[in-house]
């Protein structure tokens, strides 16, 4: 949405929209590629800690 609003953004709103676009690009480039390998780690984890009684903590 910020990318669409950027061309018509006021001088006051332009830096905000640019920041939103930069953050989205960073997220897509850096964070999203890590999701599949992290998913595999989570799926491969066991529930041994969750099975401990609460008193163990």
């Amino acid at each position: 949405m910020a990318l669409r609003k950027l061309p018509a953004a006021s001088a006051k709103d332009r830096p905000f929209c640019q920041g939103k676009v930069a953050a989205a690009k960073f997220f897509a480039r850096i964070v999203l590629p890590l999701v599949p390998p992290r998913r595999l780690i989570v799926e491969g984890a066991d529930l041994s800690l969750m099975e401990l009684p609460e008193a163990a903590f």
Side-chain angles (χ1 to χ4, degrees):
M1 181 169 307
L3 190 57
R4 283 183 287 183
K5 288 186 176 184
L6 191 57
S10 67
K12 177 182 167 244
D13 291 337
R14 187 173 306 275
F16 177 78
C17 290
Q18 289 170 329
K20 291 290 187 185
V21 171
K25 286 180 179 179
F26 172 85
F27 187 82
R29 193 175 63 249
I30 303 299
V31 177
L32 288 181
L34 298 174
V35 171
R38 288 182 178 173
R39 177 182 173 195
L40 292 175
I41 291 169
V42 170
E43 287 176 343
D46 64 21
L47 297 175
S48 58
L49 285 177
M50 298 302 292
E51 293 166 351
L52 287 172
E54 195 172 325
F57 298 97

